[in-house]
Amino acid sequence: GFLGVHLVNRLAADGTPVRALVWPDGATREHAAANVEVVPADVRSPADLEAAFDGCSVVYHLAAQTSLSLTRQELLEANSGGTRNVASAAARAGVRRVVFSSNLNLHVRRAGALIDEDAPIRPANDYSASKFRAERILLEECRASGPGVVVARVGPTLGAGAVRWLGFLRAIDSGGYRIVGPGVNRLH
């Protein structure tokens, strides 16, 4: 995905050995120039993960189904169930740390207040709910089994290759985007 491509390229540029997992039917051309080992794997398959994590000290878990057109059950299976598989496979492989990309839309937005880790939790949709459940699973599983955990609640991300934002940015550029309210919202 978008974050994964940038992370892999950065780690590889820094000289870190990288094994990048991609969905079995996923494109790998983004990683070709980064000189990384690309492994087709599905987070829903414990066997895929055990083989992929062998010899790794850190796992960056960025895999997720993000489509809001999926059912709640499909999102939970992929995101929460997949995260349980990641935690278990990481523990069995002797991984030292798991870094997990969660979602900022877990938090209640309060007018004028910044969102930090102490902000109240109320997932905005089924995707966010699946990511929050995944956080809880990861923390519980890894607390019991050994790997340290870092959870990053990532908000909307822009950068090179962020094509899903092109329509929004073009609307702003053409003057076709209308601001709702006074324009002081921090996240929409």
Side-chain angles (χ1 to χ4, degrees):
F2 176 72
L3 288 177
V5 167
H6 287 278
L7 176 63
V8 164
N9 289 338
R10 180 56 195 236
L11 291 170
D14 289 346
T16 303
V18 176
R19 183 176 300 145
L21 278 57
V22 297
W23 292 105
D25 60 353
T28 59
R29 68 183 175 278
E30 295 95 345
H31 303 298
N35 194 24
V36 301
E37 179 184 0
V38 176
V39 177
D42 187 328
V43 295
R44 295 169 294 188
S45 168
D48 284 0
L49 298 176
E50 285 185 43
F53 294 170
D54 185 46
C56 294
S57 60
V58 178
V59 168
Y60 295 92
H61 176 25
L62 309 180
Q65 288 288 344
T66 59
S67 175
L68 295 178
S69 67
L70 296 175
T71 67
R72 181 178 181 84
Q73 187 57 41
E74 289 169 324
L75 288 167
L76 289 171
E77 178 185 319
N79 298 338
S80 304
T83 297
R84 183 179 308 280
N85 293 337
V86 167
S88 297
R92 284 192 297 278
V95 168
R96 185 175 44 85
R97 178 174 295 125
V98 177
V99 179
F100 177 62
S101 174
S102 189
N103 183 270
L104 190 59
N105 279 336
L106 300 176
H107 294 284
V108 174
R109 291 187 183 72
R110 298 171 291 184
L114 294 177
I115 297 172
D116 65 15
E117 59 274 2
D118 296 322
I121 300 289
R122 187 175 59 228
N125 51 45
D126 289 341
Y127 168 72
S128 295
S130 75
K131 294 298 272 187
F132 183 60
R133 184 177 289 177
E135 282 184 21
R136 302 295 94 188
I137 289 168
L138 185 63
L139 291 167
E140 286 174 22
E141 295 277 330
C142 289
R143 183 178 303 121
S145 62
V149 175
V150 175
V151 174
R153 291 183 178 156
V154 180
T157 308
L158 293 172
V163 294
R164 74 181 232 188
W165 291 94
L166 284 179
F168 176 67
L169 295 174
R170 286 183 179 131
I172 291 171
D173 185 50
S174 70
Y177 182 77
R178 301 287 184 250
I179 295 176
V180 177
V184 297
N185 45 323
R186 297 179 189 271
L187 182 70
H188 49 141

